[in-house]
Amino acid sequence: MKKIVTFALLAMILFLGGQPVSAQNSGALALIIDHYAARNFLEGAIPAADLDRIIQAGVRAPSARNLQPWHFTVIQNQTLAKKLVSNNLDGNVIIVVSGPGDGKTNYVQILDCALAVQSIYLAAQALGYGSRIYTNPIDSLNNSMKTELSLPAGYSAVALIRVGKIQGGVDAVSSASSRKKVEDVVTYKR
Ligand SMILES: Cc1cc2nc3c(=O)[nH]c(=O)nc-3n(C[C@H](O)[C@H](O)[C@H](O)COP(=O)(O)O)c2cc1C
């Protein structure tokens, strides 16, 4: 019996070792490891129930001392959305995550907001949508669009996430970026 278990474990290790990373993961782990920023968004409305779940993922993010120092501005008005992301398509939704202060100084609150950003980004992909995080428009947003977007008083935008339909599968294959090697960015102190 012991030999059979050892053989089965060895066979599994050998099998998985020869697979691409994406084939080694399933469920939540696959999503966390194999996500990618969408390149080729499509037009098309996101059903309210899906959008609600995506927002809920942000609201449920962890935060230091559970202060939840964030606000989510969900932009479905395309005129406004295009002011932030010029090639935004009809149906794509822009979610602005903002936090107290200038969005640059309080690193713990920025980290909290960043976790909410990541949760929204991943939740959208879990539901089969494309998502992409943007920080390029943030300075301009904070300089001139806070009132227009009704950000809470004293808040500044930290990042935004674009969510939209994509052509399943094709986008992933054409778009996935490489990452640094594990051995180049990890130090073990044993
Ligand atoms: C904090 C942050 C800010 C980003 N800002 C932008 C941006 O302003 N514009 C953009 O096109 N992509 C932006 N991206 C997307 C990254 O370029 C993308 O996630 C990265 O290149 C990895 O590519 P991948 O999706 O192929 O894994 C941002 C991503 C992160 C995490």
Side-chain angles (χ1 to χ4, degrees):
M1 184 63 185
K2 202 173 166 190
K3 273 187 185 167
I4 294 173
V5 171
T6 309
F7 176 78
L9 277 174
L10 274 174
M12 196 185 293
I13 288 165
L14 282 174
F15 173 75
L16 290 177
Q19 298 287 308
V21 170
S22 55
Q24 293 179 21
N25 306 311
S26 61
L29 186 59
L31 182 71
I32 290 165
I33 293 182
D34 300 332
H35 63 82
Y36 62 93
R39 271 71 165 168
N40 304 310
F41 285 94
L42 302 175
E43 290 187 353
I46 300 175
D50 285 351
L51 191 55
D52 286 349
R53 294 182 76 199
I54 292 166
I55 302 300
Q56 181 71 1
V59 170
R60 295 279 313 157
S63 61
R65 293 188 286 140
N66 200 25
L67 286 178
Q68 305 168 56
W70 45 52
H71 188 82
F72 304 94
T73 307
V74 183
I75 302 173
Q76 294 173 290
N77 174 305
Q78 285 310 312
T79 308
L80 278 179
K82 282 190 166 75
K83 282 190 183 180
L84 295 166
V85 177
S86 58
N87 65 353
N88 200 65
L89 299 172
D90 282 345
N92 297 176
V93 176
I94 303 279
I95 301 160
V96 177
V97 180
S98 57
D102 63 4
K104 295 188 175 182
T105 306
N106 187 326
Y107 85 91
V108 177
Q109 290 185 342
I110 294 165
L111 181 55
D112 292 337
C113 287
L115 292 171
V117 168
Q118 172 81 337
S119 291
I120 288 171
Y121 170 80
L122 290 179
Q125 294 186 26
L127 289 173
Y129 297 101
S131 58
R132 188 178 191 97
I133 299 163
Y134 290 79
T135 48
N136 278 349
I138 293 302
D139 280 344
S140 145
L141 186 166
N142 283 331
N143 285 335
S144 60
M145 290 183 69
K146 280 184 182 181
T147 307
E148 192 173 14
L149 295 180
S150 309
L151 259 57
Y155 274 46
S156 297
V158 171
L160 60 86
I161 310 102
R162 175 183 181 181
V163 179
K165 292 195 167 176
I166 51 168
Q167 197 170 350
V170 176
D171 199 43
V173 173
S174 64
S175 304
S177 300
S178 63
R179 292 294 192 270
K180 292 177 180 177
K181 290 183 188 152
V182 171
E183 56 267 34
D184 291 341
V185 292
V186 179
T187 303
Y188 288 98
K189 305 289 277 184
R190 293 187 169 115

